[in-house]
Amino acid sequence: MPSSRVWPAFAAALIVFLAANTGRADEGMWTFDNFPTDAVKARYGANITPTWLDQVRLSVVRLSNCTASFVSADGLILTNHHCSAACIDDLSTAEQNYLAKGFIARSRNEERKCSRQIADVLVAMENITETINAATKGLSEQAANDARKKTLTALEQACEESSAKQNSRLKCEAVTLYDGGQYFIYKYKRYTDVRLVFAPEEGIAAFGGDPDNFQFPRWCLDMSVLRVYENNQPIKSPNFLRVNFAGPAAGEAVFVAGHPGSTERLLTVSQLLEQRSNAPTSLLRSSELRGRYIEFGKRGAEQQRIAQDPLMGLENGLKVRRKQLDALLDEHLLDIKIKQETALRAAIAKDKALTARTGSAWDDISRALQTSRAIELPYSQLEGGAAFSSQLFRYARLLVRGTTEREKPNTDRLREFADARLPRIQQQLQAPTPVYPELEKLTLSFSLERMREYLGPDHKLVRSLLPKDSPESLAARLIDNSKLADPVVRMKLWQSGASAVAASDDPMIALARSVDADTRAVRKQMEDTVEAPIRVATERIAAARFAIFGTKVYPDATFTLRLNYGVVQGWKENGADVTPFTNLGRLFERATGADPFRVPDSWIAVHDQLDMKTPFNLSTTNDIVGGNSGSPLINARGELVGLLFDGNIHSISGSFWFDAERNRAVAVHPAIIRVALEKVYRAEELLRELTVAR
Amino acid sequence: MPSSRVWPAFAAALIVFLAANTGRADEGMWTFDNFPTDAVKARYGANITPTWLDQVRLSVVRLSNCTASFVSADGLILTNHHCSAACIDDLSTAEQNYLAKGFIARSRNEERKCSRQIADVLVAMENITETINAATKGLSEQAANDARKKTLTALEQACEESSAKQNSRLKCEAVTLYDGGQYFIYKYKRYTDVRLVFAPEEGIAAFGGDPDNFQFPRWCLDMSVLRVYENNQPIKSPNFLRVNFAGPAAGEAVFVAGHPGSTERLLTVSQLLEQRSNAPTSLLRSSELRGRYIEFGKRGAEQQRIAQDPLMGLENGLKVRRKQLDALLDEHLLDIKIKQETALRAAIAKDKALTARTGSAWDDISRALQTSRAIELPYSQLEGGAAFSSQLFRYARLLVRGTTEREKPNTDRLREFADARLPRIQQQLQAPTPVYPELEKLTLSFSLERMREYLGPDHKLVRSLLPKDSPESLAARLIDNSKLADPVVRMKLWQSGASAVAASDDPMIALARSVDADTRAVRKQMEDTVEAPIRVATERIAAARFAIFGTKVYPDATFTLRLNYGVVQGWKENGADVTPFTNLGRLFERATGADPFRVPDSWIAVHDQLDMKTPFNLSTTNDIVGGNSGSPLINARGELVGLLFDGNIHSISGSFWFDAERNRAVAVHPAIIRVALEKVYRAEELLRELTVAR
């Protein structure tokens, strides 16, 4: 990077343009309405047409926390194993452990419903920025914040009502892009009957476990296959991606369409520093919980089974946040961010009108963050739920709040309880998700103990909850006496409404009731004194950025559909080349026989029939982040040539910037998918459906 | 603090003088040969005479990791409960848990030996700076590093030999002050027969447990009483502190003599930033281990007992390092450090000769830290022992290395195996410290697992240790088959020497042997490429500091004897006054009945006989840090008026600076000691010995 001397305005703007949030190298998580087709053509010769874009968009599926894509005309979708792990876990029992043993439906009636899964297909996007700006114009920060939310809820509602009238019954979700620079309504076709078709053993899906997670070279068959149903029949899905089992060549241009969850590349320096200061608390908490889960798992086979999936999720998050903290502690990265911000502000300062419109946005954010510091702790413990880590408590809070909110006019509610969101809440309440009391006691006693540590033993809330109890004895009493593990009990309360919930003597409901007023108060305080001023300020900064750069910027990830481009490529690690493909032979060489480096018996049994040169995983330069898991890797002809499942370790800093030198996406090669289905799992029907689809 | 504009040189120097490392407010951990008696007289009117200093110095005792003081003429010493916790734990069994139940020797023959404890009294200090400087003059950094160590070992040896000839048999320890600005030989009278006389229940000694640790207001009877023996008889200790049970008044001047363990106030900014980057790794490790210990303790009463003491130690360290990281993330603190460093360098730049002598010291340190980054990971795993957290492994390494090193000439050995240090090693090897296999498996499997995580599964060391095993199965095999838990086995190997150790088939010895070459190699690399250049650079910076400030600076803490002054005082927390005394009544009000807020039955039984206004703990402005635990709080008349046991939460940033506004030391009030001995424990003999001593 250039040194810190003051450049002329143009150069300054150029630096911002190049380094901050535009398509340098293969950077960018582009919305489909603003994909840089010209740049892609210039760089890779690939001709991305509107038809290509429509076809891909309608083939891509958003799952509850991942991406998937249709791979046959009969509603078959391909995603990662880890995207289906919660479903596989829900379907498993001590006797029938599908995580460990894998799952294959040999016929359609063996396909098993994932009770909490959804599948959304984005069918339309409507820009509502002007409506929102009109609704908030001239209002105070707090009033604007309230008006913005009400308007978003009202627009979602109007959209769904209008769609219902046309019998298309779309789900309408407000989307905030560019930290408030744009507002959209995204319209999805939503499917709520998603069934498990195939999952290999976790031992091969996540070979290498946590040690290998975010590493490359890699050997993971991180795949699962689901099917989307409607009216108890597989849907017809004319838009799907044909699988090209040969996979891409090194250096070939590839595209990733999916739902990157969250990036923070547009944050101000003060926001980054605040994140840096806050990061250790949650990291330490997760790290302790990791130790508790692991030790808990040693009590016995069943304990190991029930701790396995939460542990994997926890370890994944831990690694991500740990590497994010490393990035924030990297003086070089921070220096670049400071220079970018300085350059942007200098460019604004050259324009009087823009300066006036932008106002004291950066200072406003810093001030709001100061305010945030004072309430962050009770906020995270109460509204964030850190004090009550328990599935039963989460049900209780949903019931207490949901039934109360439901009685209010739609636009007066907490946004998460707007009409458009109630069906999803109901789906969760009625799902027969297993609740394990022993594990619940672990997480709840742990979280109560940390609440006491962080708030202090003399805090009002702590005194009121633990006047005589230890965290353990309180957790045990709550878990043992609550009936909320039963979906019938939950649904009865949900349907009976606020008065029934208010009258319930379920101890978990009683706990959720008892803290609700304080919880709402600290949330309101956070919204009014932190969120409101920051939103106004970020809208101003976004507007200034648009004024300077036009549409040549992309928004931070928001778990909405994006497309990016890249190329099959390795990188240099400590001076040595990392090649972009791994092969099957090395999997067996690396196996130790002990988890997580144990190759499943199913693979060992057919070892001699397998071609050890079969490509296994590959790396690409695509700009991805969590939420992209399960995304198709697509070639210029629109074929699926890989199944994205991870990034390399350097990709984690992608939360804050794109490191073109080292940031790599990691995908399952389609060749190993074919070998697995054909030779290992003998899933002929499934392979036929995928192959016919060519 | 002043703003960042450039000040004239004098003002700059003054700022450094005031804020960096001299007696602003009550700051300073002074050596006894450089105590600022004039400043104390001016500030508090206290007349600290050479006699006072000698009397106090000879009354203060250094324990293996704490401070204590003589409180009777018969070798009785007073220290904290947590300083004796390891001893109490060693003496406890599943049937007789002295940590939980307390311990009172009703007569001298009931006093129980602490097998790993020592008691050192500092009797003389010899400045050897010129000898060291002469030994290293003109040598390269690496050669100087080696020569310095050899010379220190040789001087220690000469000192002990000379003392032995005079029959005084002193222990001689080289001490490095001012990061290399001064070198000393400290001469101690060492006692190795230290016996437990009294300890209250941990429930009152550490009332509030980890949640209350480093907090004030506070209610901990964190005391234990030991007695020093020689030739199986209590020693005569003519120098002792008389206990003034009335305690000090608010605002009264008080002094703390003790052994602050480690501060880093003289570090350069680059060193602080390096610490900041490195801190998360060890924090996360400890946090996970915390979770493992807690969950392990839930397996049963015996598991809870054996995990209790390691857990307390771990949680204490975790809080310290967490708050240190917070301090390092505090932009304000960093800003001050940058300004101090800039001012010091500016003052040096005004003097040509000084500039030449100081050279590129700061840049040299930064470069060495870069080198350090590349080897820090294998260094901490191997030489730091992070990969092998096991008492049995530590024994094995002591045996493997110790017997090998012992065969070399004294000055050629790794410093920790010099002749002067061998008796202490032998004491540890022969102590009948309990080893709990179940706990050993927990820590060893944990550390192997993290070794694999941090080094990566394909690292040479990981592949060689875990070709087929999981961390768990390897740990189990090593622990189950090692015989090193038996002190007889250890001592036999120790006495038989290197060839016996080389021939041993104990699997833990085999492990220690197998990694020793790599471990020594990375240590040598760290010494030559990091330690050596940093030592030369810090010696230069220290010399420059002396040239500018003379003796009006104090050295960083090094677990050697220091004296500081302060006053009984609270502070303002969020605008509210914290008063400096707590009383007994509030203890009972805060009790919940559940650990760690459960008042022991012994106290509840006599509740009605106690004066609820009895002072319990107090806070002072003294500048203390870990290692000061157990230090006497002394008034201007030389009486013991408190037993230091902690600092408040703000004191933790004292590692890097002294925050005069909020940094407070925390002590047990002598009044509660009298009440406890008289009314609760009815330890009449002990109380008489303490009272007669008045």
Side-chain angles (χ1 to χ4, degrees), chain A residues 61 63 65-68 78-80 82-83 222 258-260 316 559 624-632 643-647:
Chain A
V61 174
L63 301 179
N65 59 352
C66 278
T67 300
L78 178 66
T79 187
N80 294 145
H82 74 264
C83 296
D222 194 352
H259 303 87
N316 184 67
F559 198 49
I624 55 92
V625 78
N628 267 124
S629 279
S631 292
L643 171 60
L644 195 113
F645 72 98
D646 208 357

Side-chain angles (χ1 to χ4, degrees), chain B residues 75-302:
Chain B
L76 204 64
I77 61 177
L78 178 66
T79 187
N80 294 146
H81 186 274
H82 74 267
C83 296
S84 296
C87 168
I88 302 167
D89 202 31
D90 286 357
L91 295 172
S92 296
T93 61
E95 296 72 37
Q96 191 61 272
N97 184 349
Y98 296 122
L99 272 181
K101 303 291 177 194
F103 177 89
I104 309 180
R106 296 287 174 190
S107 67
R108 292 201 178 169
N109 58 19
E110 288 182 8
E111 295 174 359
R112 297 279 302 273
K113 184 167 180 185
C114 296
S115 62
R116 293 183 284 164
Q117 192 55 281
I118 52 168
D120 289 336
V121 178
L122 181 63
V123 295
M125 295 168 277
E126 183 185 342
N127 192 325
I128 55 164
T129 311
E130 289 188 12
T131 312
I132 297 299
N133 289 347
T136 58
K137 192 166 183 175
L139 298 180
S140 74
E141 288 167 348
Q142 284 83 341
N145 204 32
D146 288 342
R148 191 182 300 110
K149 290 180 183 181
K150 277 179 199 288
T151 310
L152 292 173
T153 297
L155 290 171
E156 285 173 344
Q157 185 179 2
C159 168
E160 294 204 359
E161 284 170 0
S162 140
S163 164
K165 273 183 205 146
Q166 297 159 36
N167 257 334
S168 54
R169 299 175 60 87
L170 298 175
K171 288 307 298 176
C172 300
E173 284 184 13
V175 171
T176 302
L177 299 178
Y178 303 98
D179 283 349
Q182 287 184 348
Y183 294 91
F184 273 83
I185 294 284
Y186 274 29
K187 303 174 188 180
Y188 295 96
K189 172 68 184 161
R190 169 162 297 177
Y191 303 97
T192 56
D193 186 353
V194 179
R195 303 189 189 178
L196 184 63
V197 176
F198 169 74
E201 306 91 334
E202 191 162 55
I204 191 70
F207 181 80
D210 179 66
D212 271 10
N213 192 18
F214 285 106
Q215 301 296 336
F216 189 87
R218 191 76 164 278
W219 298 264
C220 290
L221 187 71
D222 194 353
M223 71 175 290
S224 67
V225 181
L226 306 168
R227 194 186 302 278
V228 177
Y229 281 70
E230 215 172 23
N231 304 319
N232 229 13
Q233 293 296 321
I235 65 161
K236 292 296 161 200
S237 48
N239 292 292
F240 66 89
L241 301 175
R242 284 165 176 78
V243 181
N244 179 339
F245 288 108
E252 185 174 335
V254 282
F255 303 83
V256 171
H259 304 86
S262 170
T263 58
E264 309 195 294
R265 297 181 188 172
L266 301 180
L267 290 192
T268 65
V269 170
S270 67
Q271 286 175 306
L272 292 175
L273 291 179
E274 190 64 17
Q275 284 212 4
R276 190 176 76 177
S277 293
N278 288 339
T281 301
S282 90
L283 272 170
L284 290 176
R285 190 186 150 84
S286 296
S287 199
E288 182 187 341
L289 186 56
R290 179 191 205 183
R292 293 202 183 204
Y293 278 150
I294 291 173
E295 203 56 33
F296 173 85
K298 292 182 181 172
R299 285 192 201 163
E302 176 61 356

Side-chain angles (χ1 to χ4, degrees), chain B residues 404-538:
Chain B
T404 311
E405 291 294 304
R406 222 170 45 184
E407 297 186 349
K408 299 177 185 172
N410 194 29
T411 54
D412 287 357
R413 300 179 198 163
L414 297 175
R415 287 260 300 141
E416 67 269 29
F417 296 104
D419 280 334
R421 289 174 170 73
L422 294 181
R424 182 90 175 106
I425 289 174
Q426 185 161 324
Q427 184 195 28
Q428 286 174 35
L429 288 172
Q430 73 191 4
T433 313
V435 174
Y436 302 106
E438 206 180 348
L439 196 62
E440 284 275 290
K441 286 177 196 174
L442 183 160
T443 55
L444 183 56
S445 67
F446 159 71
S447 64
L448 290 168
E449 207 173 311
R450 289 303 143 257
M451 170 195 71
R452 182 176 65 187
E453 174 177 348
Y454 291 134
L455 296 180
D458 299 311
H459 188 280
K460 191 184 78 168
L461 177 70
V462 179
R463 292 300 298 183
S464 75
L465 292 173
L466 301 170
K468 297 287 166 199
D469 268 302
S470 69
E472 255 188 297
S473 62
L474 176 60
R477 210 170 54 244
L478 291 167
I479 305 292
D480 285 339
N481 294 303
S482 175
K483 303 276 180 281
L484 297 182
D486 182 350
V488 175
V489 171
R490 297 195 297 264
M491 286 310 293
K492 195 171 164 205
L493 282 164
W494 179 247
Q495 279 148 0
S496 305
S499 59
V501 172
S504 165
D505 61 358
D506 189 285
M508 205 60 96
I509 296 271
L511 172 62
R513 275 196 314 255
S514 77
V515 299
D516 199 47
D518 284 351
T519 307
R520 284 173 181 265
V522 72
R523 172 173 171 161
K524 183 78 180 117
Q525 197 184 357
M526 186 66 93
E527 287 175 346
D528 285 352
T529 64
V530 180
E531 182 186 274
I534 288 181
R535 176 44 54 95
V536 169
T538 54

Side-chain angles (χ1 to χ4, degrees), chain A residues 90 115-116 388-403 417 424-436 440 479 482-491 493-494 501 504 506-513 516:
Chain A
D90 286 358
S115 62
R116 294 184 283 164
F388 311 109
S389 290
S390 146
Q391 185 52 38
L392 294 181
F393 179 81
R394 284 186 287 274
Y395 286 137
R397 186 153 90 169
L398 267 186
L399 289 167
V400 168
R401 284 197 164 172
T403 52
F417 296 104
R424 181 91 174 104
I425 289 174
Q426 184 161 326
Q427 184 194 28
Q428 285 173 37
L429 288 173
Q430 71 191 5
T433 312
V435 174
Y436 303 106
E440 283 276 291
I479 306 292
S482 174
K483 302 276 179 282
L484 297 183
D486 182 350
V488 176
V489 171
R490 297 195 296 264
M491 286 310 294
L493 283 164
W494 178 248
V501 172
S504 166
D506 188 285
M508 205 60 94
I509 295 270
L511 172 63
R513 275 196 314 253
D516 199 47

Side-chain angles (χ1 to χ4, degrees), chain A residues 276 284 287 295 299 331, chain B residues 276 284 287 295 299 331:
Chain A
R276 192 176 74 176
L284 290 176
S287 199
E295 204 55 34
R299 284 192 201 164
E331 295 286 302
Chain B
R276 190 176 76 177
L284 290 176
S287 199
E295 203 56 33
R299 285 192 201 163
E331 296 283 304

